[in-house]
């Protein structure tokens, strides 16, 4: 019985200790560490927003795409770092790890669950939207693309394999460029469930992977308004390009 009581006490203490760690990160230390870890050439103050900055909330809200999940009053959010240089990313990662603060990375990709802007523990947002340069080398048919460049702007490309050990933030990719043929044919067909979208999707699964490499056939399901008001259906948008 004594052991059980001791164990319960130990558990309770553990919870208290981990709670204390979660609710009280040393924000001051973190901010000092950030300044210390970045040089005067690319000062972090230019890209750092804390609740003391008037644009803090508007910057947060402008990127929270799923409003059901965004919480501008969330006191867990300590700072937003809109990195413009590799050293900003490096300092954020190192300092957050040192002070036990979670990092959420927001960039241009899809994030339906709000994982890049909400957290149940104190966190900082590492915003990658400033990192969007592209350097094209036509002679070697390659390009260096910074992490945030939207996929549509890259047009046709192919990723080289990138191995990411443990935690890392990808700053840029090297991609191989492929030539776009002189004539490019594209067509798009929409089908709702009522119009047989299920059959089309089934056929797509069977043929898409067997088509020649030059043909690109994509199927994208989306929720859309149904024929009757208030009703919803699924629209399958199929795109073929060659
Ligand atoms: C500042 O950085 C140096 C190393 O670059 C380190 O030795 C020092 O402890 C840091 N100071 C603070 C307050 O983080
Ligand atoms: C945020 O506020 C600090 C302190 O007033 C200031 O030095 C910094 O430049 C501000 N950051 C931005 C991005 O405006
Ligand atoms: C398919 O649906 C989308 C969204 O409503 C619409 O923008 C597009 O024009 C439609 N395409 C065709 C070929 O009907």
């Amino acid at each position: 019985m004594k052991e059980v009581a001791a164990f319960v006490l130990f558990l309770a203490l553990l919870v208290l200790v981990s709670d204390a760690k979660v609710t009280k990160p040393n924000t001051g230390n973190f901010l000092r560490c950030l300044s210390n870890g970045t040089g005067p050439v690319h000062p972090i103050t230019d890209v750092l927003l804390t609740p003391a900055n008037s644009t803090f909330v508007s910057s947060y809200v402008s990127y929270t795409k799923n409003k059901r999940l965004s919480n501008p009053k969330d006191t867990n959010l300590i700072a937003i770092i809109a990195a413009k240089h590799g050293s900003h990313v490096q300092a954020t990662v190192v300092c957050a790890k040192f002070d036990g603060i979670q990092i959420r990375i927001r960039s241009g990709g899809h994030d339906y669950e709000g994982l890049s802007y909400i957290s149940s523990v104190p966190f900082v947002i590492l915003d990658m939207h400033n990192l969007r340069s592209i350097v094209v080398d036509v002679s070697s048919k390659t390009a260096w693309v910074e992490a945030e460049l939207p996929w549509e702007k890259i047009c046709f490309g192919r990723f080289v394999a990138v191995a990411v050990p443990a935690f890392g933030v990808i700053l840029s990719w090297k991609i191989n460029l492929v030539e776009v043929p002189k004539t490019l044919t594209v067509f798009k067909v929409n089908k709702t469930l009522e119009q047989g979208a299920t059959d089309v999707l089934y056929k797509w699964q069977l043929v898409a992977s067997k088509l020649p490499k030059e043909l690109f056939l994509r199927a994208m399901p989306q929720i859309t308004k149904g024929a009757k008001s208030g009703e919803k259906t699924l629209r399958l948008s199929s795109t073929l390009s060659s």
Side-chain angles (χ1 to χ4, degrees):
M1 197 59 204
K2 231 179 180 173
E3 286 84 26
V4 174
F7 183 64
V8 169
L9 182 67
F10 171 71
L11 270 186
L13 280 177
L14 199 69
V15 169
L16 274 178
V17 168
S18 52
D19 244 19
K21 192 159 185 251
V22 160
T23 49
K24 270 199 176 300
N26 196 326
T27 307
N29 259 3
F30 173 73
L31 297 178
R32 270 190 299 277
C33 172
L34 276 187
S35 309
N36 191 27
T38 46
V41 184
H42 303 285
I44 194 111
T45 42
D46 287 359
V47 300
L48 173 70
L49 291 174
T50 68
N53 292 93
S54 55
T55 51
F56 181 72
V57 171
S58 56
S59 164
Y60 175 71
V61 172
S62 69
Y63 270 85
T64 54
K65 299 280 160 60
N66 188 344
K67 299 297 179 209
R68 266 196 303 184
L69 301 174
S70 95
N71 178 7
K73 295 201 180 87
D74 189 347
T75 49
N76 281 332
L77 179 59
I78 294 168
I80 299 171
I81 298 115
K84 280 189 178 154
H85 187 256
S87 63
H88 300 153
V89 176
Q90 202 171 26
T92 305
V93 173
V94 171
C95 299
K97 186 164 193 301
F98 193 75
D99 287 304
I101 295 168
Q102 206 176 69
I103 300 180
R104 296 286 158 139
I105 300 172
R106 78 183 180 188
S107 61
H110 292 98
D111 174 12
Y112 295 118
E113 292 90 9
L115 295 179
S116 59
Y117 51 87
I118 50 170
S119 174
S120 56
V121 295
F123 71 113
V124 292
I125 291 177
L126 177 58
D127 185 329
M128 304 287 282
H129 85 267
N130 288 320
L131 297 170
R132 47 171 62 209
S133 74
I134 178 165
V135 180
V136 178
D137 180 1
V138 175
S139 64
S140 68
K141 289 191 186 168
T142 57
W144 275 104
V145 179
E146 280 194 318
E148 170 59 18
L149 198 75
W151 188 238
E152 315 85 68
K153 293 225 174 102
I154 303 172
C155 296
F156 292 91
R158 201 148 39 104
F159 284 139
V160 291
V162 178
V164 189
F167 182 81
V169 180
I170 294 171
L171 292 183
S172 55
W173 307 86
K174 188 178 188 184
I175 59 172
N176 289 328
L177 303 174
V178 291
E179 273 176 45
V180 178
K182 279 211 170 69
T183 314
L184 190 69
T185 314
V186 180
F187 71 85
K188 207 168 177 178
V189 179
N190 290 337
K191 294 268 184 214
T192 61
L193 281 182
E194 294 72 21
Q195 292 164 338
T198 311
D199 289 340
V200 174
L201 188 66
Y202 179 68
K203 277 190 195 144
W204 172 79
Q205 286 183 320
L206 299 180
V207 300
S209 63
K210 300 192 178 66
L211 291 173
K213 255 181 26 196
E214 293 72 27
L215 285 181
F216 171 76
L217 179 59
R218 176 175 94 157
M220 197 164 80
Q222 282 171 320
I223 304 288
T224 183
K225 277 189 187 142
K228 290 194 206 122
S229 86
E231 220 179 52
K232 291 219 162 121
T233 186
L234 183 140
R235 184 186 60 235
L236 185 73
S237 165
S238 312
T239 311
L240 177 84
S241 24
S242 70

